[in-house]
Amino acid sequence: QSGKGLPAALAKCVAKHLPSISALTIRLAGCNDKIRCNAVRCIGYIFDLFSALGADMEEDFESKAVDCMLGSLWKGNTKVQWNCCYAAGSFFRLSGGTAEEGELRGKLLDAVTSLMRSSTNYKVLSHAITALRQLEWKAYPAGAMAQVCESLVHVLLLLDRQKAPQLKEEELKEIAVDFLVSCVEEGGADDPGVVAVLEGEIDWLCTISEKLSSCLRRLA
């Protein structure tokens, strides 16, 4: 799953065959869900390996991989979706500053936040939030932080409606709260879009956790 710590000869061998592995993975990602769930996760591993090995990526691999992820997020079953979120996190961690990469980031971020507003599956939602946390704040497209905060509020509202939340729901709530606090503290408090999303929800959000209450009261 990672090229770090590999013997030099093995690392060279892996780097040599990564382009053919990448091409095969893209083809497999178009198969049925049983195969696709493993293929889209492999896309994430490939991004991780390119980064760890410092290998040159095929020119169109990023765009093909993102297209696969977008289709899988919309059409795949829940297992495909959470594996796709893993791959999305690997892409967010790796992607650079070119205009094309920025466009791909924006499309994928839109898809992941949309998934957060439509899914009720714990693993999908936790993987989606973890994926978004891989993207550096400075790499967020304009307006994206407000979009992320709106999706986090949706997740917290979903969890707030649970009559008797289980441990996994409590864990998801903690993940969502921590990320929402980070969003506010890392510039969201000065973002009119974020403030607009949160100001009408502050009262009930402040009942969720003391940490979130302390953070959001600054916006009031």
Side-chain angles (χ1 to χ4, degrees), residues 49-117:
L49 280 167
F50 274 122
S51 176
L53 295 171
D56 292 329
M57 199 176 299
E58 291 292 294
E59 186 175 345
D60 59 350
F61 176 71
E62 282 186 331
S63 61
K64 287 181 177 179
V66 170
D67 283 344
C68 283
M69 287 187 274
L70 293 174
S72 297
L73 284 169
W74 283 111
K75 300 176 184 178
N77 62 22
T78 54
K79 191 170 182 180
V80 170
Q81 289 175 334
W82 79 60
N83 279 296
C84 193
C85 287
Y86 173 86
S90 295
F91 175 72
F92 288 148
R93 203 162 45 241
L94 175 67
S95 56
T98 68
E100 181 183 6
E101 287 172 319
E103 183 178 351
L104 293 173
R105 269 199 308 272
K107 289 180 179 179
L108 194 52
L109 189 146
D110 285 345
V112 172
T113 52
S114 178
L115 181 67
M116 289 168 61
R117 294 191 296 273

Side-chain angles (χ1 to χ4, degrees), residues 116-195:
M116 289 168 61
R117 294 191 296 273
S118 62
S119 179
T120 59
N121 182 274
Y122 158 78
K123 287 192 73 172
V124 170
L125 293 171
S126 60
H127 277 69
I129 294 171
T130 301
L132 292 173
R133 298 206 75 157
Q134 307 310 306
L135 185 59
E136 292 184 5
W137 298 113
K138 63 181 181 181
Y140 269 65
M145 191 173 287
Q147 185 178 335
V148 169
C149 288
E150 184 177 8
S151 298
L152 289 168
V153 169
H154 184 90
V155 171
L156 290 169
L157 182 59
L158 173 71
L159 295 171
D160 193 53
R161 292 170 177 161
Q162 300 291 329
K163 301 275 185 199
Q166 298 178 4
L167 178 59
K168 63 181 182 180
E169 280 85 14
E170 290 296 330
E171 291 173 347
L172 176 57
K173 183 175 78 171
E174 184 177 350
I175 293 170
V177 164
D178 284 347
F179 192 29
L180 185 55
V181 169
S182 294
C183 287
V184 174
E185 292 180 344
E186 293 292 336
D190 300 316
D191 185 327
V194 171
V195 174

